[in-house]
Amino acid sequence: MKVLKFGGTSVGSAQRMRDVARLINDGSRKIVVLSAMSGTTNSLVEISNYLYEKKPDDAGEIIHRLAEKYAGVIRELYATEEYREKANALIRSYLDYIRSLVKDPFTPFEERVILAQGELMSTGMMNLYMQETGVRSVILPALDYMRTDKNSEPDPVYIKEKLNGLLGKNPDAALYITQGFICRNAYGEIDNLQRGGSDYTASLAGAAIQAEEIQIWTDIDGMHNNDPRVVENTSPVRHLNFDEAAELAYFGAKILHPTCILPAKLNNIPVRLLNTMQPEAPGTTISNEMEKGRIKAVAAKDNIVSIKIKSGRMLLATGFLRKVFEIFETHHTPIDMVTTSEVGVSVTIDNPKHIDGIVNDLKQYGTVTVDREMVIVCVVGDLEWDNIGFEAKIISALKDIPVRMISYGGSNYNVSLLVKSSDKKRALQALSKHLFN
């Protein structure tokens, strides 16, 4: 059995839903994971923000707009009045539930409940549409099997037991439709998976049933070898190793979240990235197989801040790096890149929220220099140290661009370079020209 996930744009209109229905109705049994219709989650966040601000009338206006939006989609999607009435009643029940939460006090618990309604609505509508067209589909409620533990990490044993139990109760179904993103936490409360959202749901579900394949359907033809918004004539990468894909995702390739494919990697389940608008395109396949001797792609991570700590006391001093890293840990700020010398250490962060406190704490160990508006450019592929010339080719491509930091050797799949934001476009274009053209 395969697991197919469709994002918000893939179910963002009546026509898109019909397109997805054609894709999933091919006669084979599968689990279909759906996100909320595009724009819905943003509206639900807006509702929550108004309720935090004690503005129930403004929240009510957003709910009214959502009701009108869904009513329009329902009119277009369903062919019979019977199913239009069923869908309208379904959506009305979810929106009425949101209205019931317009109360004081409004807490993060109510916010998480509100955010869950988007996926519940999209899956309910799709299930009704499949039934109207004669397909035996059933809902697998994510809130009945997807759970996190006390550390907010997915509980794979619980997920496997409950999901397989639900499948066993519906052996005759042709399609199993479930919600992405949402779950319950260790206390039984409605919560969500946060990072990776629906992609993470698909990967966890695929691992739980030992799926033949996990498919992530979006509006892009797989991962490209560079950012098509910046570089012309990019092309999809047809195959990536899981580690290569994770590096690209972490360093800017927004099509996939870096952690969401870990369950698939650990269970040796291939993941395919496919395009709902071009279903015939091969997309990108991610697996544990490795293509040797190839540079695959370039990605860029924006809004980076670099911090350099220079100290004569560092020379031969044990524990210096530990003390530096502890400061970032204290301020709950992860580090992206690290380079060191005899008298200093440079690091990068992508969240400057606690930068003032970090800098003040670092000053006890030396002189601190902060560079803002930086970009990490990441080159990904088979970058084992014995692949002679690869790193030289990368550096040569950037011979006319100032590079603040270089990180090589921490991973067998990645060379990272720190440049100014103003040099990002030139850097990506130069790397494409030298590495792929």
Side-chain angles (χ1 to χ4, degrees):
M1 190 185 299
K2 295 180 181 179
V3 176
L4 282 64
K5 173 263 176 179
F6 293 88
T9 55
S10 296
V11 292
S13 67
Q15 184 57 51
R16 295 278 175 86
M17 283 191 170
R18 281 193 286 266
D19 293 340
V20 168
R22 281 194 292 270
L23 284 171
I24 62 179
N25 187 24
D26 61 1
S28 63
R29 295 170 73 229
K30 56 180 68 68
I31 294 176
V32 178
V33 179
L34 298 183
S35 299
M37 284 180 60
S38 56
T40 299
T41 300
N42 287 340
S43 295
L44 297 175
V45 169
E46 196 173 357
I47 290 166
S48 299
N49 289 338
Y50 279 132
L51 294 180
Y52 276 125
E53 296 169 3
K54 302 187 188 306
K55 297 179 179 178
D57 291 341
D58 292 323
E61 176 60 28
I62 304 300
I63 296 171
H64 178 68
R65 287 184 209 163
L66 271 180
E68 289 185 330
K69 172 184 176 178
Y70 277 86
V73 172
I74 289 168
R75 280 194 300 272
E76 186 181 347
L77 180 60
Y78 300 97
T80 64
E81 193 59 36
E82 176 191 358
Y83 275 88
R84 288 193 192 105
E85 289 178 3
K86 287 183 178 181
N88 277 317
L90 180 79
I91 298 304
R92 189 162 51 247
S93 69
Y94 288 123
L95 294 180
D96 284 345
Y97 184 43
I98 294 174
R99 290 187 182 96
S100 75
L101 298 173
V102 179
K103 60 182 182 180
D104 191 31
F106 187 79
T107 71
F109 170 77
E110 282 81 20
E111 179 185 15
R112 292 192 294 268
V113 171
I114 286 177
L115 293 182
Q117 304 309 304
E119 279 72 17
L120 294 170
M121 289 191 287
S122 65
T123 51
M125 288 174 64
M126 180 61 78
N127 186 51
L128 285 173
Y129 180 71
M130 300 310 300
Q131 291 176 357
E132 184 184 42
T133 55
V135 177
R136 297 191 314 275
S137 67
V138 297
I139 292 283
L140 296 179
L143 299 179
D144 288 353
Y145 70 87
M146 190 62 64
R147 188 176 77 172
T148 56
D149 59 23
K150 291 182 179 180
N151 297 316
S152 297
E153 294 294 333
D155 184 340
V157 175
Y158 181 94
I159 294 167
K160 182 175 183 178
E161 176 190 347
K162 296 298 183 182
L163 178 54
N164 282 287
L166 289 171
L167 292 171
K169 291 178 180 178
N170 298 278
D172 298 327
L175 289 175
Y176 302 95
I177 299 174
T178 191
Q179 300 86 19
F181 180 61
I182 67 175
C183 66
R184 291 192 187 274
N185 58 30
Y187 310 100
E189 300 167 336
I190 293 177
D191 211 325
N192 57 68
L193 295 172
Q194 298 179 8
R195 57 178 189 248
S198 298
D199 292 351
Y200 209 6
T201 299
S203 188
L204 290 164
I209 67 166
Q210 287 297 301
E212 169 191 347
E213 181 178 86
I214 298 166
Q215 298 179 0
I216 308 294
W217 290 81
T218 66
D219 56 357
I220 302 173
D221 181 18
M223 276 197 183
H224 280 232
N225 61 5
N226 210 322
D227 189 341
R229 297 168 299 181
V230 178
V231 179
E232 294 181 353
N233 301 319
T234 63
S235 58
V237 182
R238 295 308 177 200
H239 179 265
L240 288 168
N241 177 273
F242 277 117
D243 293 313
E244 292 174 329
E247 295 277 10
L248 285 171
Y250 183 76
F251 285 103
K254 300 297 186 185
I255 190 173
L256 196 66
H257 194 281
T259 60
C260 73
I261 53 176
L262 182 60
K265 174 187 176 181
L266 295 177
N267 288 272
N268 200 28
I269 301 170
V271 175
R272 292 182 68 200
L273 309 180
L274 297 164
N275 186 352
T276 315
M277 318 306 168
Q278 295 178 272
E280 70 285 351
T284 300
T285 298
I286 307 170
S287 72
N288 280 317
E289 295 179 9
M290 184 71 192
E291 289 183 274
K292 292 292 185 180
R294 283 193 60 194
I295 293 177
K296 295 292 187 64
V298 178
K301 190 174 186 180
D302 297 313
N303 303 314
I304 301 298
V305 177
S306 71
I307 305 168
K308 181 177 181 180
I309 309 100
K310 184 177 180 182
S311 172
R313 289 176 292 165
M314 181 182 175
L315 187 64
L316 302 179
T318 59
F320 179 84
L321 284 177
R322 174 180 58 79
K323 293 172 184 175
V324 168
F325 292 151
E326 282 178 348
I327 289 172
F328 289 88
E329 181 182 1
T330 299
H331 290 280
H332 304 287
T333 302
I335 293 171
D336 286 320
M337 289 175 64
V338 181
T339 60
T340 64
S341 72
E342 287 292 343
V343 295
V345 56
S346 290
V347 303
T348 68
I349 60 175
D350 63 3
N351 182 2
K353 180 178 179 181
H354 304 293
I355 185 70
D356 293 337
I358 290 170
V359 170
N360 286 335
D361 290 347
L362 289 173
K363 283 180 178 178
Q364 63 184 302
Y365 299 116
T367 304
V368 180
T369 305
V370 177
D371 292 317
R372 299 177 184 267
E373 297 185 8
M374 308 295 285
V375 170
I376 295 176
V377 175
C378 168
V379 181
V380 166
D382 176 24
L383 293 165
E384 292 273 6
W385 66 274
D386 53 358
N387 284 333
I388 297 173
F390 275 17
E391 70 280 5
K393 196 172 184 180
I394 294 167
I395 299 303
S396 176
L398 300 180
K399 66 181 185 301
D400 297 322
I401 297 170
V403 177
R404 169 71 175 78
M405 290 171 62
I406 301 174
S407 177
Y408 174 50
S411 162
N412 293 329
Y413 311 99
N414 168 24
V415 174
S416 294
L417 309 104
L418 186 70
V419 301
K420 296 177 183 176
S421 295
S422 56
D423 290 324
K424 171 186 171 179
K425 183 175 181 178
R426 284 201 303 144
L428 293 182
Q429 290 174 338
L431 286 166
S432 267
K433 179 179 179 181
H434 283 76
L435 300 180
F436 307 128
N437 298 331

